[in-house]
Amino acid sequence: MRETEKGNRSSLKVRFTLAMVLMSLIPGLILAVVYYRNVRDFYQDKTWMYQENTLRLMEAKMQDIIKQSEVVLNQVLGLSVTSDLFSGYTEMNAYERLNLMRNINGTLSNIRIANNSIDHIYLLAFDGGAYSSNVGWNKREFAENDWTEIREDQPGGSIIVPTHPAAYKYLNSGAADPLVVSIVTYLNRYTGNSVIGLVQIDLSYEKIRAAMDCMEMDDSDMAFVVDEEGRVIFAPKESMAGLSAADVSLGTYSLAQILSAVDGGAEEDGNFFIHLDYGRDSGTIRKRRVGNSGFSIIQINSGRMLKQELDRFRKVWAAVVGACMVSAALLASSLSAGIVKPVTSLIRSMSRVSRGDFSTKVETPKDKDLSELALSFNTMVSEVDKLMRENIEKERERLNMEQTALNSQINSHFLYNTLNTVKWMAVRAGNEEIARMVVALVNMLEYSCKKIDVPVRISEEINFIKNYVCIQEGRCCSSVHMKFDIDPKLENCLVLKMLLQPVVENAMQHGFGEDNIDNRILITGRLMGDRVQFQIRDNGQGFLYEGFDKLTGVGLHNIQDRIRLNYGDGYGVELESEPGEGTAVTVEIPVCEKAEEADGKDFNR
């Protein structure tokens, strides 16, 4: 059973190592979790701020493009409507109209060069005349567009032609058609000189792309530019540009659904934004209007950037935690080696001591606490060894004393028989006094030979005192009148053997002078609650009492020590004496009664 329990126990080194690892790991994990949450919040704020700043930057660049288009439109309208270039246009001959076209084309080229967001500028006259900053454009292809049909009574105003290929840009169709966004303004005969019917300004799609390229985009992060009618002006993929938002699919949603959701979302700092799940990711979608142009930027940001940042942090955190665990394990192993080794040595030493080898000593380690433990163990073993030796010696003495007591009992038995013979010889000789003294002596010897540590009845102690007084009267040829006043309630009470006799002996030897005739000793016994109080009072010569510690005799000191040893410090001896007034000695002990079923040795307190 003990082997099984021993096998189920883990070693101190293992437990100490685990404790050290856990002590370092648990706070580390708590701090790491708190730090991770803070880092996550930091990266979220950082990502949010980056997205906001990117959106503002795209808006600013798009506003620059729109402002350029507005400036160019105002300049072209001024050229077409309010300038004197077209004065007398109907009376101009062919040569004059050719010079006019050259002047206007040159002016448009200068305007286009001054505004790099403009791809080209085109003007159409009601009579079929055409002007442009593009020298090599295809007028026929341009005129075939749906929005280029004009008439003199047409209503004025502007429209936006969403992103489309500018097939009319080049005279030769072999070149790739660039994408442009056209701002078309219609004039009528009531406007200025009533010559120009259409002004078209083409915005370069590449310039719009450059404005939107400030945002880092991947499959999940993207930006769109749409007009008020939900047509796509710019898209990450050129194939989406020019389409209706309803025809652009983003995972499980169309761009039109996203626009509708964003318009119903929260507004903050001029942005409308929502959090939406789309495709493989979930993210934040923002919409910001670009001035009064009718364009809006749709910014779609997935949580991938945040996830990447957090993934990098988690990898770093895992590496740090792993390094901390390894360091903690190495540190714990090192510390446990310094602690467990002395403890293991102490355990082995204790095992040897348990087998009886008290000569075992433990080497003192360098650690202060462990050295104190080792010193305490060595001291304990030395003390135990000393006590064992003392007990062996005491046991040897006890055996010798028992042998001596046995011999004394034999000698006492011989003495009793001898004294009994003397008593009968005194009786036959008619000397009753000698016989009485011999009987008293025999009783005293018999009482004295009993075990000193066994309590006796009060009556036995009183009889012993009477026998002692009888012998003293015969030896000293003097008489002492003894009086006993013992409470009957104390009949079964027990006292220590020879507790009162030394006090009577002191009174007879030191209390009475040689000339005293009426010598009296009064012994009283009273039950005082849970205490028994004895008082031995004589009418002797008394003395000047200066304190118990001033007494030179051993009798009263011996009684005091025996009472304190057997009953405790709450009991003892008190003395009162005055010269010429006698002496009173008071002895207090606890109530001790003999048990009814006792075998003569046990008693109850």
Side-chain angles (χ1 to χ4, degrees), residues 148-164:
T148 57
E149 182 180 354
I150 58 175
R151 61 182 186 275
E152 291 185 359
D153 60 347
Q154 65 185 1
S158 297
I159 64 169
I160 294 176
V161 180
T163 305
H164 61 279

Side-chain angles (χ1 to χ4, degrees), residues 70-313:
E70 292 174 351
V71 170
V72 170
L73 180 60
N74 290 331
Q75 290 177 344
V76 173
L77 289 176
L79 177 68
S80 304
V81 177
T82 61
S83 69
D84 295 333
L85 291 175
F86 292 97
S87 299
Y89 179 77
T90 56
E91 289 81 15
M92 289 182 183
N93 56 33
Y95 177 76
E96 291 174 338
R97 289 190 178 189
L98 179 61
N99 286 333
L100 175 63
M101 182 181 67
R102 290 175 178 174
N103 289 335
I104 292 176
N105 288 345
T107 303
L108 294 178
S109 296
N110 291 333
I111 294 174
R112 181 253 178 190
I113 292 172
N115 297 274
N116 60 359
S117 297
I118 307 302
D119 184 74
H120 278 293
I121 306 169
Y122 303 93
L123 301 179
L124 286 182
F126 290 115
D127 64 355
Y131 310 91
S132 175
S133 60
N134 183 5
V135 178
W137 64 307
N138 192 329
K139 299 177 184 178
R140 183 179 59 82
E141 186 76 24
F142 182 83
E144 291 179 354
N145 290 318
D146 296 337
W147 63 86
T148 57
E149 182 180 354
I150 58 175
R151 61 182 186 275
E152 291 185 359
D153 60 347
Q154 65 185 1
S158 297
I159 64 169
I160 294 176
V161 180
T163 305
H164 61 279
Y168 48 81
K169 183 174 181 179
Y170 302 110
L171 186 62
N172 298 322
S173 59
D177 298 331
L179 296 178
V180 295
V181 178
S182 299
I183 300 175
V184 180
T185 301
Y186 296 101
L187 304 175
N188 52 42
R189 64 175 181 268
Y190 305 108
T191 305
N193 50 40
S194 67
V195 175
I196 302 300
L198 179 145
V199 176
Q200 178 173 318
I201 300 173
D202 284 351
L203 302 178
S204 172
Y205 186 81
E206 292 302 320
K207 295 298 181 181
I208 297 176
R209 183 193 300 277
M212 304 300 290
D213 275 347
C214 58
M215 175 178 173
E216 296 182 7
M217 299 184 187
D218 57 16
D219 294 340
S220 300
D221 294 304
M222 59 193 74
F224 295 85
V225 178
V226 297
D227 62 11
E228 291 179 332
E229 298 179 10
R231 295 172 298 182
V232 178
I233 303 300
F234 169 81
K237 297 179 180 180
E238 287 188 1
S239 59
M240 297 179 181
L243 299 178
S244 171
D247 298 329
V248 177
S249 177
L250 299 175
T252 57
Y253 297 94
S254 68
L255 183 58
Q257 290 176 312
I258 292 177
L259 287 173
S260 176
V262 173
D263 288 336
E267 183 177 5
E268 181 178 315
D269 297 333
N271 295 337
F272 291 89
F273 68 94
I274 58 170
H275 295 283
L276 191 66
D277 293 330
Y278 60 93
R280 296 172 298 170
D281 301 294
S282 62
T284 303
I285 302 176
R286 297 177 177 84
K287 178 181 177 182
R288 181 183 286 269
R289 297 185 181 91
V290 183
N292 297 320
S293 64
F295 291 168
S296 296
I297 299 175
I298 308 300
Q299 183 190 47
I300 301 176
N301 296 111
S302 70
R304 184 172 299 179
M305 180 182 294
L306 177 61
K307 291 179 181 178
Q308 290 174 349
E309 294 289 344
L310 293 180
D311 286 341
R312 283 195 291 268
F313 171 75

Side-chain angles (χ1 to χ4, degrees), residues 426-427 429-437:
V427 170
N431 196 333
E432 296 293 333
E433 186 65 21
I434 294 176
R436 187 172 64 83
M437 289 182 63

